[in-house]
């Protein structure tokens, strides 16, 4: 359990550093796509995406590569790994047969984020007229699911941390 905790802390530090690095790279290399905040604020409209694809096609391409693939893949692995490792590190070792349950939320998060990335890449590589309200709603729904699982994972780690403190 101590090794999981140490690795979890390492992943957490990497997550913070990589997050800042990604924000800097995004603002410098694809500022128009980064301004929409696709992965964190699901409030954009189809017209906003169409305008991006019409006026700043290069930004949309850069958002896909290297933004989503590989940079966001690394980020989702760091975040999912942080949640999983810290959960294992703070878990009660008296119930080792149920430790696999702690993987449901981080793995769910990683699957949701990857699915969101694929849908977002498809939307951003489409022709502007192909972007419909349904397409945008699908991507936004996947973003909301991803953010919900991120919140659930954070709450899971906080709960296990408090339990770990109480156990002494």
């Amino acid at each position: 359990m101590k090794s999981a905790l140490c690795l979890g802390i390492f992943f957490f530090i990497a997550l913070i550093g990589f997050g800042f690095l990604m924000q800097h790279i995004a603002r410098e290399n694809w500022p128009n796509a980064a301004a929409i905040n696709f992965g964190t604020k699901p409030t954009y409209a189809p017209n906003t995406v169409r305008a991006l694809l019409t006026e700043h096609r290069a930004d949309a391409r850069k958002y896909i590569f290297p933004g989503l693939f590989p940079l966001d893949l690394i980020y989702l692995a760091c975040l999912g790994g942080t949640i999983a490792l810290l959960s294992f590190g703070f878990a009660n070792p008296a119930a080792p047969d149920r430790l696999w349950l702690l993987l449901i939320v981080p793995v769910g998060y990683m699957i949701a984020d990857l699915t969101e990335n694929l849908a977002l890449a498809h939307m951003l590589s489409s022709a502007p007229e192909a972007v419909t309200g349904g397409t945008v709603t699908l991507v936004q729904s996947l973003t909301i699911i991803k953010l919900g699982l991120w919140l659930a994972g954070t709450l899971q780690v906080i709960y296990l941390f408090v339990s770990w403190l109480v156990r002494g």
Side-chain angles (χ1 to χ4, degrees), residues 1 88 92-101:
M1 295 300 180
F88 280 150
N92 187 349
D97 56 327
R98 290 181 276 169
L99 284 178
W100 68 271
L101 292 170

Side-chain angles (χ1 to χ4, degrees), residues 159-168:
Y159 171 78
L160 291 167
F161 174 69
V162 170
S163 298
W164 179 73
L165 288 175
V166 169
R167 277 194 317 272

Side-chain angles (χ1 to χ4, degrees), residues 53-132:
L53 294 177
T54 302
E55 299 165 13
H56 305 285
R57 190 77 174 172
D59 271 15
R61 280 193 209 110
K62 289 177 186 173
Y63 192 89
I64 297 169
F65 180 81
L68 293 174
F69 305 102
L71 294 177
D72 197 53
L73 289 179
I74 296 168
Y75 188 80
L76 78 88
C78 283
L79 183 54
T82 298
I83 294 169
L85 290 166
L86 289 178
S87 294
F88 280 150
F90 294 130
N92 187 349
D97 56 327
R98 290 181 276 169
L99 284 178
W100 68 271
L101 292 170
L102 297 175
L103 289 176
I104 292 172
V105 174
V107 170
Y109 163 80
M110 291 174 19
I111 291 169
D113 197 354
L114 179 60
T115 306
E116 178 210 26
N117 288 353
L118 292 170
L120 187 53
H122 181 266
M123 182 176 72
L124 293 176
S125 62
S126 300
E129 58 275 0
V131 176
T132 64

